[in-house]
Amino acid sequence: MKLKQGAPRHSQISQWLRKEIEDGTYMPDEKLPSENELAKKFGVSRVTIRRALQSLESEEIIYRCQGLGSFVSDTRTPHNLVRLTDFNEDMENAGLEASSIVKAFKTVEAPGWLAEILHVAEGNKVLQIDRLRLGNGEPIAYDITWMPILYGQLLQEDKLQDKTIYQTLEEEYEIPIIRGTYRISADVADNYLSTQLKADINAPLLTINRLSFTIGDKPVYYQQRYYRSDKVMYEMTLERDKNNSTSASELPLKEFVPVFKKTKDTG
Amino acid sequence: MKLKQGAPRHSQISQWLRKEIEDGTYMPDEKLPSENELAKKFGVSRVTIRRALQSLESEEIIYRCQGLGSFVSDTRTPHNLVRLTDFNEDMENAGLEASSIVKAFKTVEAPGWLAEILHVAEGNKVLQIDRLRLGNGEPIAYDITWMPILYGQLLQEDKLQDKTIYQTLEEEYEIPIIRGTYRISADVADNYLSTQLKADINAPLLTINRLSFTIGDKPVYYQQRYYRSDKVMYEMTLERDKNNSTSASELPLKEFVPVFKKTKDTG
DNA sequence: ATATAATACATGTAATAACAAGTATTGATG
DNA sequence: CATCAATACTTGTTATTACATGTATTATAT
């Protein structure tokens, strides 16, 4: 008798457990049922349960101690992966109140360099969104986003306060971002930016340009963001895994997060 | 009869295969022996072989196709991990000839902020190394490194051309760097830096400060590096794994590499 | 000659079994 | 009371077995 209802049993089970943990059925550091109990509960062998638990362990959703059991990891520690965060989320983590001022929401003709990046023909119309980003009312960053009309038509200006572009595309239109390329550089504030950001002219700016792709390597939007470098720096932690003693110099990234400075440090 | 010679059999085997692949016994895209053959060869069951191969697969050292076999991955693709690279290596990848000029190699008394970072007492002596970094003879970066005398005494000024601090500590003294914290920010060139880097005063600089730790969370060295932002930017790629359909916004980092510009772009 | 079916072999999934090894409790012993 | 051994329970490792599923080749029929 063929079952073949899609996914293998062990991944169904790990999915089930994942959901239980997300839903809060099992709290952080709480002990999960033992492998034998789970095996009985799901009517599978212990091997299958182990495979399911191994997935969760490698995602650092649970941790296991020989002789003790399996436990839920601390709440949403960075799961050995980097979470792509948006501005609002970053600010929230930093304990600042985020707000945005939409400075422009218009269609423009794509110049050559942009057309190439977004895979549209030169001169094609693209949506351009300029936003000033504030934390606790103070200017922190200024960004410009361009996207093909194909995707741009899905956004509405008034919704940009509540939801991020990322969320809107993924949740409402099932257009997931599966890849992003970041370019990190430095610049100095020109006349316009210094005015907008209320910074000195020639003030140093941390610039992060990112190009986001959806399935099929289709570019969805390109964003240039200028951070006031006296307000924010990016911090990343690379950590070497103790188990996988691979060749010397490989470390997995644990975190890549912006750090907001509340007080002005003397450099 | 107890064997207990340390590591479990499956990790011994994966280690063995890792080495074979590194040594070039199996070339990229070459088919490994089948699971059954390996099982017979090592005198273990197929389950154990599979565990070994699973490790290699998760490290992206091999890839497997149902019905075909297991194959060696393309040469040293970024193994889903970020490789910590040093300046010389970065330049080599960019096709530039790297050189360094040691501007200072001295002991100084650690000011408060540095003492705190390096976990030494304020006023303690620390080694300070100032270096100008060149690519094809042109100034690209300037960095200052501080390290406790404990580690500093292991370095010799004349060796800094050949080997990196990282390599020296790991290979000669078995002091591995297991964690690094990067802080990325922007600054403008002051009088001294603009002279050293042959850049305009107030030229934008990409600054990367990193603190490197060895086992026991002991800080080994702290480095401040200033890149001419017209010469280099950092690029990183985040990619979502197709298999692990975890919660929406988590992407593993594939690459974090500097990109050197050979020609001056118009901003 | 081309399309199809049979076959051999690869990895993928899973059940069952046994033992090793770490942890905590319990109970006997000093 | 303190110490130590026995015990029960946990995860870790491994062997054996069976079948499912994907791939490529070979033999067969059209």
Side-chain angles (χ1 to χ4, degrees):
Chain A
M1 187 178 83
K2 285 185 187 178
L3 283 180
K4 173 147 178 173
Q5 43 194 24
R9 201 79 182 90
H10 66 83
S11 41
Q12 287 178 25
I13 292 172
S14 65
Q15 198 62 40
W16 188 87
L17 285 168
R18 223 189 308 272
K19 197 161 169 41
E20 288 280 287
I21 291 169
E22 267 179 24
D23 292 353
T25 311
Y26 300 109
M27 298 306 283
D29 290 321
E30 187 180 336
K31 188 175 164 301
L32 295 177
S34 77
E35 297 178 352
N36 281 320
E37 286 173 308
L38 288 171
K40 200 156 52 180
K41 167 166 189 167
F42 286 99
V44 297
S45 77
R46 204 183 133 215
V47 187
T48 306
I49 293 296
R50 298 203 96 235
R51 287 213 53 176
L53 292 180
Q54 271 157 22
S55 297
L56 300 180
E57 189 183 24
S58 76
E59 294 174 48
E60 294 190 21
I61 291 174
I62 64 169
Y63 59 93
R64 302 152 94 191
C65 297
Q66 188 175 10
L68 282 179
S70 303
F71 305 85
V72 178
S73 291
D74 271 352
T75 338
R76 279 164 221 93
T77 35
H79 298 153
N80 199 0
L81 302 175
V82 181
R83 289 191 61 235
L84 266 190
T85 54
D86 52 60
F87 184 78
N88 292 344
E89 203 171 343
D90 288 340
M91 299 301 285
E92 194 185 325
N93 289 338
L96 299 174
E97 197 188 343
S99 55
S100 299
I101 299 173
V102 178
K103 294 280 181 176
F105 190 94
K106 61 187 177 188
T107 57
V108 296
E109 289 179 6
W113 63 270
L114 180 61
E116 190 179 355
I117 289 177
L118 290 179
H119 287 184
V120 298
E122 186 170 346
N124 269 21
K125 293 279 188 185
V126 293
L127 178 64
Q128 177 180 336
I129 305 169
D130 294 14
R131 284 176 292 183
L132 179 66
R133 307 303 196 110
L134 310 158
N136 284 353
E138 271 188 284
I140 287 201
Y142 190 91
D143 59 41
I144 309 173
T145 309
W146 292 274
M147 48 199 313
I149 293 294
L150 169 65
Y151 300 112
Q153 64 188 353
L154 306 176
L155 301 180
Q156 287 163 344
E157 182 171 358
D158 55 322
K159 276 200 175 180
L160 284 177
Q161 259 75 11
D162 312 334
K163 272 195 171 182
T164 62
I165 296 176
Y166 187 97
Q167 287 176 319
T168 305
L169 292 176
E170 168 124 5
E171 293 170 11
E172 295 186 15
Y173 301 102
E174 291 184 355
I175 301 173
I177 302 300
I178 61 164
R179 194 158 61 85
T181 303
Y182 286 65
R183 292 190 157 214
I184 303 169
S185 186
D187 217 330
V188 294
D190 60 14
N191 218 315
Y192 177 72
L193 283 177
S194 64
T195 308
Q196 291 291 333
L197 290 169
K198 287 187 185 159
D200 295 335
I201 205 163
N202 282 336
L205 301 176
L206 180 65
T207 70
I208 297 190
N209 301 342
R210 78 171 147 173
L211 180 58
S212 300
F213 297 86
T214 186
I215 35 185
D217 276 336
K218 282 194 280 282
V220 177
Y221 60 86
Y222 178 67
Q223 188 171 71
Q224 289 184 344
R225 182 173 294 172
Y226 301 89
Y227 283 104
R228 277 183 60 169
S229 76
D230 58 339
K231 292 288 184 187
V232 64
M233 59 168 59
Y234 264 80
E235 186 174 82
M236 54 193 278
T237 302
L238 303 174
E239 199 160 315
R240 189 184 292 179
D241 196 348
K242 285 148 229 149
N243 307 331
N244 290 346
S245 60
T246 53
S247 61
S249 52
E250 286 165 4
L251 310 184
L253 187 72
K254 298 290 276 192
E255 278 188 304
F256 179 67
V257 294
V259 180
F260 296 93
K261 310 179 205 174
K262 294 189 179 176
T263 57
K264 203 166 191 172
D265 288 337
T266 50
Chain B
M1 188 176 85
K2 283 186 186 178
L3 283 182
K4 172 145 180 176
Q5 42 195 24
R9 201 79 182 90
H10 65 82
S11 41
Q12 287 178 24
I13 292 173
S14 64
Q15 198 62 40
W16 187 88
L17 286 168
R18 223 190 307 271
K19 196 161 170 42
E20 289 279 287
I21 291 169
E22 267 179 23
D23 291 352
T25 311
Y26 300 108
M27 299 304 284
D29 289 321
E30 187 181 335
K31 188 176 164 300
L32 294 178
S34 78
E35 296 178 353
N36 280 321
E37 286 173 306
L38 287 172
K40 200 156 50 181
K41 166 166 189 167
F42 286 100
V44 298
S45 77
R46 205 180 133 217
V47 187
T48 306
I49 294 296
R50 299 203 95 236
R51 285 216 55 175
L53 293 179
Q54 271 157 22
S55 297
L56 300 179
E57 188 184 25
S58 77
E59 295 174 47
E60 296 190 22
I61 291 174
I62 64 169
Y63 60 93
R64 302 152 96 191
C65 299
Q66 188 174 12
L68 282 181
S70 303
F71 305 86
V72 178
S73 290
D74 272 351
T75 339
R76 281 167 219 89
T77 36
H79 299 152
N80 198 0
L81 303 176
V82 180
R83 289 190 60 237
L84 265 190
T85 55
D86 52 61
F87 185 79
N88 292 345
E89 203 172 346
D90 287 342
M91 300 300 285
E92 194 186 324
N93 289 338
L96 298 174
E97 198 189 342
S99 54
S100 299
I101 299 174
V102 177
K103 293 281 182 177
F105 190 94
K106 60 187 178 188
T107 55
V108 297
E109 289 179 7
W113 64 270
L114 180 60
E116 190 179 356
I117 288 176
L118 290 178
H119 286 185
V120 299
E122 185 170 348
N124 269 21
K125 294 277 187 186
V126 292
L127 178 65
Q128 178 179 337
I129 305 169
D130 293 17
R131 283 176 293 182
L132 180 65
R133 308 302 198 116
L134 311 157
N136 284 353
E138 270 190 283
I140 288 202
Y142 190 90
D143 59 40
I144 309 173
T145 309
W146 292 273
M147 50 200 311
I149 293 292
L150 171 66
Y151 301 112
Q153 64 188 357
L154 306 175
L155 301 180
Q156 287 162 345
E157 183 171 358
D158 56 321
K159 278 201 174 178
L160 284 177
Q161 259 75 11
D162 314 333
K163 273 193 168 181
T164 62
I165 297 176
Y166 188 96
Q167 287 176 319
T168 305
L169 291 176
E170 169 124 5
E171 293 170 12
E172 296 186 17
Y173 301 102
E174 291 186 352
I175 302 173
I177 303 299
I178 61 165
R179 194 159 61 85
T181 304
Y182 287 65
R183 292 193 156 214
I184 302 169
S185 188
D187 217 329
V188 294
D190 60 14
N191 219 314
Y192 177 73
L193 283 177
S194 64
T195 308
Q196 291 291 333
L197 290 168
K198 289 187 182 156
D200 295 336
I201 204 162
N202 282 336
L205 302 175
L206 180 64
T207 70
I208 297 191
N209 301 342
R210 79 171 145 173
L211 180 59
S212 300
F213 297 86
T214 186
I215 36 184
D217 275 338
K218 281 193 281 282
V220 177
Y221 61 86
Y222 178 67
Q223 188 171 71
Q224 289 184 345
R225 181 173 293 172
Y226 301 88
Y227 284 104
R228 277 182 59 169
S229 76
D230 59 339
K231 292 288 183 186
V232 63
M233 59 169 62
Y234 265 80
E235 186 173 81
M236 52 193 282
T237 302
L238 304 174
E239 200 161 314
R240 189 183 292 182
D241 195 350
K242 285 149 226 146
N243 307 332
N244 289 344
S245 60
T246 51
S247 60
S249 51
E250 287 166 7
L251 310 183
L253 187 72
K254 298 290 272 191
E255 278 188 304
F256 179 67
V257 294
V259 181
F260 296 94
K261 310 179 205 174
K262 293 186 182 177
T263 58
K264 203 164 186 171
D265 289 336
T266 49

